[in-house]
Amino acid sequence: MHLHILGICGTFMGGLALIARAAGHRVTGCDTAVYPPMSTQLAEQGIDLIEGYGADQLALSPDLYVIGNVVTRGNPLMEAILNAGARYVSGPQWLGDNVLPGAHVLAVAGTHGKTTTSSMLAWILEAAGLRPNFLIGGVAHDLKVSARYDPAVRPFVIEADEYDTAFFDKRSKFVHYRPRTAILNNLEYDHADIFPDLAAIETQFHHLVRTIPGSGRIVLPTGSDALQRVLARGCWSETVSFGAGGMWQAGPADADGAFEVRQGEQAVGTVRWTLGGKHNRLNALAALAAAQHAGVAAADGVAALSRFGGVKRRMELRGTAGGVKVYDDFAHHPTAIATTLEGLRRQVGQARILAVLEPRSNTMKLGAMAARLPDALRLADRVFCFGARDGKHALGWNPAAVLAPLGERAGSYDDLDALVAAVAQAARPGDHVLVMSNGGFGGVHGKLLQALAPREPS
């Protein structure tokens, strides 16, 4: 079957393309941003890519058009597909109908930590010799790729997003996956462009819970009122809790980041790794509980996590120049920003942290979470916020006004080069520059390293 994928260079749709190719389909695709690394990964698999959404692509005459959620009405190719009465389906539905049936689906949902927890879970199964299939919104250093598929393999780890499926299907993506094991990692208000309030997101999580079989397992944290409300609307599966007072607990981390894992009253072992932050310890507990449901002994899971190398764009050190370390992190929601800063603060002690933030998500651009930013950024010594004046990344609020409670510690910039110059001028040897964005941020990491490089001794 020939599939033509609209929006193929997105992480989810690109991963889906790789899976479809591995399943034996001919795959082509288009996007407005056909560039590495996804374009390279797709081309290496023999997938032809077309720049843009021209209506002339209708001449490809594929058996099916697979539509990503970046595609809207008014898109020239989509309009041509509709006018021609051609067959089309959303990416999540195609996956749910054609790849996931018969698999042991392990879905990782939640407002934060989906990519990291999915990567941990896939790595635990990999280390146990299960060779899992997976579709993850990032690349773990140990797994090398974001998606993998072998039809003969039963476990399938998938990052389960609550964002809507497509312009013609306003259900959350994850309702198409029908997991046997589901991690509900946390639940906060997000996606202000889709959901009016937290209750609307809780309804989507309730729909997910309704698809989990009685022999399935739901893994969730203690202390989440939102998730408890979700389960109160109906739960037909085993529930396993993690965190303080839960079935799975983590001891405090020592100076090297190691921590003990307990299941009930039993000590399972100690995870010895370099990842920082309480959030990563909780992610680890969730992954261990889910992996156990797939047949991996808890002690084996702990041993696997001790060899886990982390995920790209999650507190990833991009380089050091002039004695200044520059990190990249995907954090874009206030809770994730605060958690990321807390983890780095524990790691660097009293050293200065310069936070560089691009509020790029739809929720942040709309300003639904803007008032929470000063508190989320409180652990940073300096804050540099980028807000474009126009274009698709323009903010609907004034960063200078929002960050005013931080006083002289914070500055806002609508010119990327000016922001880079300001950071370079403020930074000094021993500082840590933490860049937070859910996009490419105009290559700011490289620009910062280049701006700092002249300071290095000859």
Side-chain angles (χ1 to χ4, degrees):
M1 176 178 282
H2 176 193
L3 307 178
H4 189 58
I5 300 179
L6 281 67
I8 195 170
C9 281
T11 304
F12 175 83
M13 297 300 285
L16 184 146
L18 296 172
I19 288 170
R21 182 71 178 83
H25 300 290
R26 179 192 171 201
V27 180
T28 58
C30 62
D31 209 319
T32 54
V34 178
Y35 56 85
M38 183 57 75
S39 61
T40 304
Q41 190 176 181
L42 295 171
E44 288 173 348
Q45 296 299 315
I47 297 173
D48 294 330
L49 306 178
I50 300 172
E51 175 69 35
Y53 295 98
D56 58 343
Q57 293 175 48
L58 205 64
L60 294 171
S61 300
D63 298 288
L64 184 68
Y65 292 94
V66 184
I67 313 300
N69 70 355
V70 299
V71 177
T72 61
R73 285 303 304 266
N75 177 292
L77 179 53
M78 193 68 235
E79 293 300 314
I81 291 168
L82 292 170
N83 288 333
R87 292 182 62 213
Y88 67 92
V89 69
S90 73
Q93 184 173 345
W94 182 86
L95 189 72
D97 289 346
N98 296 278
V99 174
L100 298 181
H104 180 154
V105 178
L106 299 100
V108 180
T111 310
H112 318 291
K114 291 186 291 294
T115 297
T116 300
T117 308
S118 298
S119 299
M120 288 179 182
L121 176 54
W123 172 244
I124 292 171
L125 300 183
E126 178 82 359
L130 298 181
R131 292 281 303 162
N133 296 319
F134 53 84
L135 177 51
I136 301 171
V139 179
H141 294 287
D142 310 284
L143 299 171
K144 310 299 183 187
V145 293
S146 62
R148 186 173 74 192
Y149 182 62
D150 178 349
V153 173
R154 190 163 181 261
F156 196 116
V157 177
I158 187 165
E159 182 173 328
D161 190 359
E162 71 272 24
Y163 207 77
D164 65 348
T165 297
F167 76 85
F168 51 87
D169 183 354
K170 290 306 177 183
R171 294 173 294 174
S172 289
K173 292 178 182 177
F174 56 38
V175 300
H176 293 284
Y177 303 154
R178 301 188 180 180
R180 180 164 296 276
T181 308
I183 294 174
L184 310 183
N185 221 6
N186 40 64
L187 182 50
E188 289 191 68
Y189 183 56
D190 198 2
H191 307 306
D193 55 322
I194 299 295
F195 300 109
D197 50 34
L198 180 58
I201 308 177
E202 291 175 6
T203 294
Q204 295 297 320
F205 272 72
H206 169 63
H207 292 165
L208 173 64
V209 168
R210 292 179 71 90
T211 68
I212 302 169
S215 57
R217 172 178 289 188
I218 298 172
V219 179
L220 75 164
T222 59
S224 172
D225 292 340
L227 288 174
Q228 288 303 319
R229 288 194 296 269
V230 169
L231 296 190
R233 298 172 70 170
C235 180
W236 299 265
S237 312
E238 173 195 31
T239 61
V240 174
S241 60
F242 64 90
M247 181 173 292
W248 290 78
Q249 298 188 42
D254 65 18
D256 296 320
F259 63 95
E260 183 186 55
V261 174
R262 300 188 68 85
Q263 184 181 5
E265 298 299 320
Q266 181 180 0
V268 173
T270 300
V271 174
R272 303 183 185 280
W273 62 7
T274 58
L275 276 66
K278 179 182 178 182
H279 61 296
N280 276 322
R281 297 198 294 278
L282 293 175
N283 291 339
L285 295 179
L288 289 167
Q292 186 186 62
H293 194 232
V296 180
D300 292 338
V302 167
L305 286 177
S306 294
R307 304 192 301 276
F308 181 68
V311 180
K312 292 182 179 180
R313 299 215 63 201
R314 272 61 180 182
M315 196 58 76
E316 179 183 10
L317 179 63
R318 293 290 294 269
T320 303
V324 178
K325 292 185 175 181
V326 177
Y327 303 85
D328 181 23
D329 197 272
F330 198 71
H332 53 279
H333 183 285
T335 298
I337 291 168
T339 301
T340 300
L341 280 166
E342 288 166 6
L344 183 58
R345 177 55 71 198
R346 291 192 194 96
Q347 179 181 327
V348 305
Q350 297 301 311
R352 292 205 317 162
I353 297 175
L354 281 61
V356 181
L357 173 67
E358 181 188 33
R360 183 180 177 276
S361 72
N362 288 329
T363 297
M364 293 305 295
K365 284 189 294 184
L366 290 170
M369 299 288 181
R372 293 177 53 187
L373 280 176
D375 186 61
L377 292 160
R378 69 188 184 282
L379 293 180
D381 296 279
R382 293 288 303 274
V383 174
F384 303 82
C385 183
F386 179 70
R389 285 177 293 184
D390 48 35
K392 66 179 181 179
H393 300 316
L395 297 180
W397 46 279
N398 183 351
V402 167
L403 298 176
L406 296 176
E408 295 182 356
R409 293 163 51 199
S412 63
Y413 303 83
D414 56 24
D415 180 84
L416 189 58
D417 290 337
L419 180 145
V420 169
V423 175
Q425 183 177 12
R428 54 185 186 238
D431 285 353
H432 300 262
V433 176
L434 173 60
V435 179
M436 294 177 283
S437 170
N438 69 337
F441 204 162
V444 70
H445 317 84
K447 292 179 178 180
L448 284 167
L449 290 168
Q450 184 177 16
L452 292 164
R455 303 177 176 206
E456 293 186 340
S458 58

